[in-house]
Amino acid sequence: MSESVMRAGRAGPALPLLGAALAALIGLLLLTAVAAQVVEGRPPVRVGWAFSSIADVDLVLTSSGPGAYTAWLAPLVALVTATCLVVASVRPELCRPRFVVLMLAFMVAALVTVLATNLLTLLLAWELMGAASWALIGYRWAGRSVEAGAASHGALTAFLTTRAGDLGLYVAVGAAVAGGVTGLRLDDLAAASPGWRHVIAAGVLVAALGKAAQLPFSFWLRRAMAGPAPVSALLHSAAMVALGTYLLLRLSPLLEAVGWAATATAWLGVLTAIALGAVAVAQDDLKDLLAASTAAQLGFVVLAAGVGATGAGTAHLLVHACVKATLFLLAGLWLWQAGSRRLSDLVGVARRTPGLTRVSLVALLALGGLPPLGLWFTKDAVLHEADRSPAGSALAVAGLVAAGLAAAYVARVLGVLFQGPGPEDVDLPGEPRVVVMLRPLVLLGALGGVLLVPAVATALPGRPPSLGAPLELALSAGLVLLVLVLVFIAEAAAPAQPRRWRRTVAGGLLSDWLGLERLAHTVVVRPTLAVAGGLARLDDRVLARGVDAAAPLTRRLARATGRADVAGVDGVVRLVDAGARAASRQVRRPQRTGQLHHYYAQLVLVLGLGGFAAVVAALLT
């Protein structure tokens, strides 16, 4: 690390640390409010704001009913934001006001999203969150470097893809208005008129799948990895991507009321868990691997929303947020020091950062679903609830396949990062404070199974989660252990070496994230650009030429009108003016000459004209 960078790093950490303290304070206040409700049974914390005269747009933090998701998620969002800012303080290029302000703005938008009680507030916060995420992903846009180009492209891809999905939320708002939903309240959407209820469910489903990077929108998450690691940790663990699944959990009564929407949600979730799990196994880029695993793990949450297992889904969402935020932050530190994102350049890097070794090991094993760590409990709770759903064992078996793939991609990372001597020049300034901040997240991820203790599980929103029979748990644990050991041995024998299967068509497809981005370009982007180009040519060749041709005619018409005005209207005015002047001179003539016969002559003339006018009037009447 250069001396100038070190100086910048020593000069700048105060600002992100100040932002972290602010985020931590907000999180502490939210946690205190939740604790007061849970322990002392106090009423929900409710804050009304500007549009309360139009609709019920209060922000509510409550520990009961469907809104109870916020009680658990809101403090976690603040905690993850604080942790990300602390880790950012060791990166000189992130110790800038723009970065800190954007991170805090995004956190506020995410908090408003989870505290919203109606579609109007949710839509407003949804928009702010999208704009802030675009600015954060493209944070390093300046310049002509490859990194700047990737940041700009990634931000644009993420923004446009999620915006396309967000249109569904606008459709849902319109349908809720047409369907007579009182105050657009989220809790009342399931009671909308039957026809409009289907439209609302479809709009919400599309918006949530887009934001949560589920099939077929998953590809944008890969491009979003161009953002700094703290941005990835916040956006793609506890916020934005996670909030897409939160929306489905929050509105699971609506999905259940519609019927087909719940079934579609469950299958899309489990298919995403399988497909993106396989994609993660095929990645040679550590951040891409973590991104694919995020979409895959959130597939379990979407599955839970589809089968009505809201308690299990909430537990999985919370534990995954802790684990994945930790891993993204660790990956950012390793990649920063190694100067590469490729796994082949990161062999043994975890062994060179002893302060982070235990933290990263626990987080990775938790992500892989190794018993008795948190995600093993929560994942099995989701699968147990899926097995009890109408779709039955098909969803559960598919979920087990996804669980095996999760163990496989984690074993692959373990085989690379913890094998070999590692690079010699790994040096992480600020490592002690990073470890201090990451420990709470790892602890929550490791002990997340406590959420399934009956006394705690009943406090989760919706149906309390439950675990399967001991045999089911044993089979699940055995599958995870078997896959983990086999893949780890294979990977450790030749870390990050190209595998023959990746050179097949299927391997190439998985490495390319199922080719979804190319498909989107073929089906949507290119036709849209072609239509836009055609309209542009129509504008240039027809409309613009028509305007150009009309301009001379307009000018000639204007000149002719001007001449008519001068020769016609102005002439009449001048004639009237001259007549008036001549008449006035005749009227004043007796006064100048003093001749009585002039006076009498005018009098006779006036009387004559008056008499003539009276005769004409009499004849007309």
Side-chain angles (χ1 to χ4, degrees):
M1 186 182 300
S2 68
E3 185 177 351
S4 60
V5 172
M6 289 293 291
R7 283 198 300 271
R10 289 194 295 269
L15 189 59
L17 290 178
L18 182 62
L22 179 60
L25 177 62
I26 294 173
L28 185 61
L29 292 175
L30 291 170
L31 193 61
T32 304
V34 174
Q37 293 177 55
V38 173
V39 177
E40 300 183 7
R42 294 193 174 186
V45 177
R46 182 179 293 273
V47 178
W49 60 305
F51 297 104
S52 57
S53 61
I54 301 175
D56 178 11
V57 291
D58 292 347
L59 304 179
V60 176
L61 183 65
T62 177
S63 62
S64 61
Y69 300 99
T70 62
W72 301 90
L73 194 53
L76 182 61
V77 170
L79 172 63
V80 173
T81 305
T83 305
C84 292
L85 286 171
V86 170
V87 176
S89 67
V90 306
R91 303 279 300 272
E93 74 273 20
L94 302 181
C95 298
R96 297 175 180 171
R98 178 164 64 95
F99 181 78
V100 177
V101 170
L102 285 174
M103 288 288 279
L104 293 177
F106 181 86
M107 182 195 74
V108 171
L111 289 179
V112 173
T113 299
V114 298
L115 295 174
T117 59
N118 64 80
L119 276 177
L120 187 62
T121 313
L122 180 74
L123 184 61
L124 176 62
W126 204 261
E127 291 292 336
L128 293 175
M129 192 167 56
S133 66
W134 170 77
L136 283 168
I137 295 170
Y139 176 75
R140 295 182 290 212
W141 63 273
R144 297 183 177 179
S145 65
V146 175
E147 186 182 47
S152 299
H153 178 64
L156 192 62
T157 301
F159 184 75
L160 291 179
T161 307
T162 55
R163 295 299 299 152
D166 291 347
L167 293 177
L169 206 54
Y170 282 91
V171 172
V173 172
V177 173
V181 178
T182 306
L184 301 180
R185 285 195 291 269
L186 299 178
D187 296 343
D188 294 339
L189 292 180
S193 60
W196 289 112
R197 192 163 55 205
H198 289 272
V199 180
I200 297 171
V204 167
L205 183 59
V206 170
L209 293 176
K211 197 68 84 178
Q214 300 293 288
L215 292 174
F217 302 100
S218 308
F219 61 89
W220 72 261
L221 194 55
R222 179 190 195 183
R223 298 302 174 195
M225 292 300 106
V231 171
S232 302
L234 176 60
L235 271 62
H236 312 316
S237 61
M240 189 156 164
V241 180
L243 292 185
T245 60
Y246 153 80
L247 184 61
L248 292 176
L249 288 172
R250 181 75 169 80
L251 300 180
S252 58
L254 169 67
L255 303 178
E256 187 176 357
V258 172
W260 65 264
T263 304
T265 302
W267 278 107
L268 283 170
V270 77
L271 290 177
T272 301
I274 294 175
L276 271 296
V279 167
V281 174
Q283 297 307 301
D284 289 320
D285 182 305
L286 180 57
K287 286 194 75 174
D288 286 354
L289 188 153
L290 291 176
S293 73
T294 297
Q297 289 290 334
L298 291 180
F300 286 105
V301 183
V302 175
L303 167 62
V307 298
T310 49
T314 302
H316 196 80
L317 176 63
L318 296 172
V319 177
H320 174 262
C322 298
V323 171
K324 190 51 65 67
T326 302
L327 289 175
F328 268 124
L329 291 172
L330 288 172
L333 294 173
W334 289 327
L335 305 183
W336 178 44
Q337 291 299 319
S340 172
R341 291 170 44 167
R342 299 189 64 78
L343 289 174
S344 56
D345 298 325
L346 298 171
V347 176
V349 70
R351 296 163 62 96
R352 289 291 179 177
T353 52
L356 301 174
T357 300
R358 287 188 292 276
V359 172
S360 57
L361 184 61
V362 172
L364 280 169
L365 291 177
L367 179 65
L370 187 77
L373 300 176
L375 284 176
W376 176 67
F377 283 107
T378 57
K379 172 205 60 184
D380 277 11
V382 172
L383 296 184
H384 177 64
E385 297 289 345
D387 191 36
R388 297 164 57 188
S389 69
S393 56
L395 285 175
V397 170
L400 278 177
V401 173
L405 289 168
Y409 57 69
V410 166
R412 188 155 176 258
V413 176
L414 288 171
V416 173
L417 300 184
F418 288 86
Q419 293 298 311
E424 296 181 354
D425 56 347
V426 173
D427 177 26
L428 293 178
E431 182 178 343
R433 66 171 178 266
V434 171
V435 173
V436 168
M437 287 301 296
L438 289 181
R439 278 177 180 164
L441 289 178
V442 174
L443 195 62
L444 289 172
L447 303 180
V450 75
L451 292 173
L452 303 183
V453 173
V456 180
T458 53
L460 291 175
R463 194 164 67 203
S466 60
L467 291 174
L471 180 59
E472 294 179 17
L473 295 175
L475 287 175
S476 170
L479 173 67
V480 169
L481 282 172
L482 178 64
V483 174
L484 199 66
V485 171
L486 290 179
V487 177
F488 179 80
I489 292 173
E491 191 65 40
Q497 294 302 310
R499 308 296 180 187
R500 185 176 302 172
W501 68 270
R502 291 185 200 158
R503 292 194 290 269
T504 64
V505 174
L509 199 60
L510 292 175
S511 299
D512 193 29
W513 285 58
L514 307 176
L516 290 175
E517 186 171 2
R518 285 188 286 111
L519 182 64
H521 276 269
T522 302
V523 175
V524 179
V525 178
R526 288 173 188 163
T528 303
L529 290 177
V531 171
L535 292 175
R537 288 190 291 275
L538 175 67
D539 180 48
D540 292 340
R541 298 175 183 176
V542 179
L543 298 180
R545 290 182 180 178
V547 172
D548 292 341
L553 292 176
T554 304
R555 287 196 296 269
R556 284 196 288 273
L557 179 61
R559 285 195 292 270
T561 304
R563 287 193 295 271
D565 178 54
V566 172
V569 178
D570 287 359
V572 171
V573 171
R574 285 194 293 270
L575 185 61
V576 171
D577 176 64
R581 290 175 183 276
S584 65
R585 284 195 298 272
Q586 294 300 322
V587 170
R588 291 196 302 271
R589 187 176 181 185
Q591 299 172 357
R592 293 198 308 271
T593 61
Q595 299 294 325
L596 287 176
H597 66 280
H598 290 164
Y599 172 76
Y600 288 120
Q602 289 179 356
L603 183 61
V604 171
L605 179 61
V606 170
L607 291 175
L609 290 175
F612 178 73
V615 171
V616 171
L619 291 175
L620 292 177
T621 57

